[in-house]
Amino acid sequence: MSRQPAIGPDAAPGVPAVEVRDLHVSLDRTPILAGVDLTVAAGEWVTVIGPNGAGKSTLLRAVGGLLPAPGAITLFGTPSAALRRRDRARVVATVAQSPVVPPGMSVLDYVLLGRTPYIPPLGRESAADVDAVDEVLDRLDLTGFHRRELATLSGGERQRVFLARALAQGATLLLLDEPTSALDIGHQQEVLELVDQLRREHGLTVLATMHDLSVAGEYADRMVMLAAGRVVASGTPREVLTEHLLATHYRASVRVVDGAHGPLVVPVRPR
Ligand code: ADP
Ligand code: MG
């Protein structure tokens, strides 16, 4: 039988959920990440921003164990490379930027995939697994969607199903790669508020990437800006979302104004 991993938010107080030290990743012999350092405290929400191609998705994939990163990544005090796949899946759940949608699969079967780390090899899901899935579908306003085929859902509904699968996994660290880019602003807020509520109620830790900088700043405790595979700024949203940094690394002309929950970034047409 697979035992519970001796890691998680309760492993030891003060131990960070994620610690990345001097991470280098090359893909097809091209350096993509060069010397990235990143710490996410347990219960914290950290959002990685940066222009297209900066390496944000690659960083999340490495933290999620989808890319080899020997020695560079520690999850709740345990070297990521030492974790077995099933054990890692109980600790960290990923919502990829564009998840593959298996043809013909129902919402229920897709979300049940999140329970795989709890189902014995060659076994079937238990009533507890189905209950866990029901609860998550209810929370995400997807009651009644169980039998719907994933391919027939709207972009927003599908995005909530992707999130449901990650939540059904019961992991305490959520890696969200542009989780709301397919959503209208109403659903975007709904999903982010829900993630934040789960974070407060269940002590989840969130490491996300997001394109909408104002929204990113409203939800993150801290932000990290990547450019060309390197960390170029990190700190509070107010420290990272500056007109100067956005002009330098995004080549964007913006005004940053104060909002109730953090700075708001307004694109301004260059003169
Ligand atoms: P971001 O998420 O910040 O837009 P990515 O992490 O997806 O950036 O990609 C970073 C860089 O790595 C991009 O230049 C991309 O083209 C490159 N890249 C991604 N995957 C591969 C791969 N398999 N082989 C070579 N280069 C890749
Ligand atoms: Mg990306």
Side-chain angles (χ1 to χ4, degrees):
M1 288 298 284
S2 183
R3 64 192 167 75
Q4 276 295 118
I7 63 175
D10 308 322
V15 172
V18 180
E19 198 151 30
V20 177
R21 284 291 158 261
D22 196 26
L23 173 64
H24 291 257
V25 173
S26 291
L27 298 172
D28 285 344
R29 296 197 203 155
T30 308
I32 307 293
L33 296 176
V36 170
D37 291 329
L38 170 78
T39 303
V40 186
E44 199 176 23
W45 182 323
V46 173
T47 296
V48 180
I49 61 167
N52 291 332
K56 304 178 296 294
S57 296
T58 305
L59 173 58
L60 257 60
R61 284 166 57 79
V63 172
L66 301 172
L67 287 173
I73 296 171
T74 306
L75 300 177
F76 297 103
T78 301
S80 173
L83 287 170
R84 291 180 306 171
R85 209 156 65 93
R86 282 170 75 88
D87 288 342
R88 183 185 291 108
R90 294 177 185 203
V91 174
V92 44
T94 300
V95 179
Q97 196 170 345
S98 356
V100 176
V101 179
M105 192 173 245
S106 71
V107 167
L108 176 65
D109 287 341
Y110 183 80
V111 178
L112 266 173
L113 288 176
R115 301 300 299 171
T116 308
Y118 304 92
I119 298 170
L122 305 179
R124 275 195 65 78
E125 69 272 7
S126 67
D129 294 314
V130 176
D131 286 349
V133 167
D134 282 343
E135 194 191 316
V136 169
L137 289 175
D138 285 346
R139 289 206 82 134
L140 285 172
D141 217 8
L142 290 165
T143 316
F145 277 74
H146 296 58
R147 297 282 154 217
R148 284 282 294 279
E149 198 180 308
L150 210 46
T152 68
L153 303 183
S154 75
E157 290 161 350
R158 204 179 304 163
Q159 197 63 19
R160 279 182 287 149
V161 172
F162 296 149
L163 188 63
R165 174 187 162 168
L167 293 174
Q169 210 173 304
T172 48
L173 170 60
L174 276 184
L175 304 180
L176 307 176
D177 196 356
E178 295 187 25
T180 54
S181 45
L183 306 183
D184 63 56
I185 54 172
H187 283 108
Q188 188 175 36
Q189 272 179 345
E190 202 177 291
V191 165
L192 295 173
E193 285 297 325
L194 175 77
V195 171
D196 198 46
Q197 185 193 342
L198 292 166
R199 180 169 82 112
R200 281 182 271 115
E201 288 173 5
H202 302 285
L204 295 185
T205 305
V206 179
L207 177 59
T209 73
M210 251 178 247
H211 258 303
D212 187 316
L213 300 173
S214 300
V215 174
E218 284 192 296
Y219 287 90
D221 297 316
R222 280 191 309 115
M223 301 181 90
V224 171
M225 189 188 287
L226 275 188
R230 294 177 186 276
V231 174
V232 293
S234 66
T236 62
R238 217 168 283 283
E239 289 165 333
V240 174
L241 296 176
T242 67
E243 291 172 9
H244 176 69
L245 282 168
L246 295 170
T248 306
H249 297 290
Y250 282 78
R251 297 177 189 280
S253 165
V254 301
R255 288 287 163 271
V256 177
V257 296
D258 271 336
H261 301 281
L264 300 175
V265 178
V266 185
V268 176
R269 190 171 171 184
R271 285 168 189 274

